[in-house]
Every structure is written in structure tokens, then in C-alpha cells.
Amino acid sequence: MLKLENIVKTYKTSDMEVQALKGISICFRKNEFVSILGPSGCGKTTTLNIIGGLDHYTSGDLVINGISTKSFTDHDWDIYRNHKIGFIFQSYNLIPHENILENVELALIISGESKEQRKEKAKKALDNVGLKGLYNKKPNELSGGQCQRVAIARALVNEPDILLADEPTGALDSATSIFKKISEKKLVIMVTHNPELAEKYSSRIIKLLDGAIISDSNPYSSEDEAKEEKNKSDEEINKEKAKMTWFTAFKLSAKNLWSKAKRTAMTIIAASIGIVGVSAVLSIRGGVTGYIQSMQDEMLSGNPISISSSSFDLT
């Protein structure tokens, strides 16, 4: 289903190159719970970002359902992220002025779902993580664990094939057990620093060190891969779409501005004062310059200056 083939990732700065991944190769099953362990800076998050299409590899190949991503365009990556991947971040990344139902609906808005379908699917996703009846609560009205559940619901509402979790267990100890249940039908890849949770819940543990794999508790062989049926062909993937209408984008932007009406009003007033102030300074400058010029013209007209040349013979 998902395969990393000799993936190398190099970050370039003005005077040096840092190799975050040094040719890692991993093949994942259609449904399993994989934990990626390792010290900070070993390449865990970089691996997760490459799998999720948030970052692009320097060399190698990411193969999805037998399809190479080497020739993927930005549009192809958008479709992949929107239809294949569900992200759960450590900091939740919830929109504060939206209630939790609207936060979960956002992924469906991008997919072009109708309003009725969005609400139905979002409520079902929230119910599945134990937040039934809290649809109108804002993120700041919930505990850290509940916010984590909202993030999980948002990641699952589009029914992705792959769930990626970057240190999701900080605020919710039961998150890992939720992932265990999800992994019965989907591929779950979790980055964590907690080896105890990984040992308890994961079906596979991959350890990284300095951008390389040092161990894999349950490697996926080519024989196992041959037994798995591919989900979709290349033609079927191209039929999927990821788009947001101009009207929807405008409506979301307007709602964001309205939710911060006081700050927006202050920004407008400050900008207006700035524009008026600059205009006033330019007007005064123009007036003073014109006045000085007119005074010089009047003084010179009353005292005309004549310029002539003369010479004398020193002999």
C-alpha cells in the first residue's frame, strides 16, 4: 500500500547541508499500528512529513498503491493529502473562533461536500470519539484531552486510508488505545518518545537513529505485499478532487474577520490614521515647497540678475 524506497532528505543552508534521512526503505501494510521511535533529531517527524506529503524527499521514491510519486504535481499532492491522509498534530491546530463541529467540518468543506453531508459526517466522527452533544463548544471550553479527541475526529472524518500522528499522546493517554482500534481497518503511523505506550499498543515498532533505521520489530516482506490487494488504480485516483469554491473561501475569510471584529476595526482605524497622516505630511510638504518657490520667484523678479563676461589684457 505505502512504500518508501531509499528515501534521502537533505536540508540546505547557506554554508552547509544537513542530511535528515539517509536512504531509508520501509514498506507498510494496509492496516497496522506502527510506532516510530528515536531520539530528537533522528528524522522521525521528517519521515512523517514525507509520508503525508507535507515535505518532499531529495531522492528516492514514495510509492502509493503501486504508483510512484516522482512525477506528482502540486495538485496531485493536494488530492493525496485530502483523500488519503489524516493528520493529528501535537498542538491540535484547532481554529479557536469555530466550534468543534465546524472544526471537523473544515476538512469536508475542502473536499466539496454538501452542507447536510458535512454536518452528518462531522457529528458521527465526534460521536465516535466520545464528544456527542458537545458540537457547539469552542476549543477554549474543552479540556486538553477533549481537544485531542476533536483533532482525531477531524483527521478521520474524510475516511482516509492512512492516519499520521505526531506525538499525539501528550494530553490524552487514551489516544493510543483509540489508534489501536482504528488500525484494525487503517494504517496508523505514530511518532512518539514513549516506548512503553508503543510496546503496549503497537503491532510494529520502527526505531530510527541519525536518519537511518536501526530496527524493525515486524518488517513487511515482498511476499506479504503480494498478498495485499491494491486499493485503487491510477485512473481512479485521478477522479478524486480537492477544491474549495471562491464563495466558500470568501465566506470563511469573512467569518474569521467577523470573529475578531474589534481587532479588525482597530486595524482599519490605525490604517486609516496612517494613510491620513501620510497624506497630510505630503500635502504640507507640497504647500511649503510651493510657497518657498513662489517667494524666490517674487524676489528674483524685483532684482533681476544679468550675467556678462569681461576680460583684460595683463600686458
Side-chain angles (χ1 to χ4, degrees), residues 91-97 100 103 139 142 146-148 150-151 154:
S91 57
Y92 317 138
N93 290 341
L94 301 178
I95 301 174
H97 63 267
I100 64 173
N103 267 279
L142 302 177
Q146 288 174 321
C147 287
Q148 185 71 80
V150 176
R154 183 182 58 189

Side-chain angles (χ1 to χ4, degrees), residues 34 52 67 101 107 109 163 218 222 225 233 237 307:
V34 182
I67 302 169
L101 184 65
I109 291 174
L163 186 66
N218 188 15
S222 56
E225 183 183 3
S233 65
I237 288 177
I307 301 174

Side-chain angles (χ1 to χ4, degrees), residues 26-27 33 136 165 197 249 262:
I26 316 171
C27 190
F33 187 1
N136 295 320
L197 284 176
K262 292 182 179 179

Side-chain angles (χ1 to χ4, degrees), residues 201-273:
Y201 293 104
S202 302
S203 59
R204 180 181 180 185
I205 298 176
I206 297 173
K207 294 182 180 180
L208 295 182
L209 182 64
D210 295 331
I213 298 173
I214 58 173
S215 68
D216 188 342
S217 66
N218 188 15
Y220 188 33
S221 65
S222 56
E223 291 79 12
D224 294 331
E225 183 183 3
K227 295 177 183 178
E228 266 194 13
E229 184 180 358
K230 295 177 181 178
N231 285 342
K232 293 185 180 179
S233 65
D234 193 10
E235 182 181 354
E236 289 174 324
I237 288 177
N238 290 332
K239 291 180 181 178
E240 295 175 337
K241 60 181 181 179
K243 67 176 183 178
M244 181 187 293
T245 62
W246 285 104
F247 176 73
T248 302
F250 175 79
K251 187 168 66 173
L252 289 173
S253 300
K255 188 172 184 179
N256 182 44
L257 290 174
W258 181 252
S259 67
K260 303 177 179 68
K262 292 182 179 179
R263 189 176 72 179
T264 303
M266 292 180 64
T267 302
I268 292 172
I269 293 171
S272 301
I273 292 172

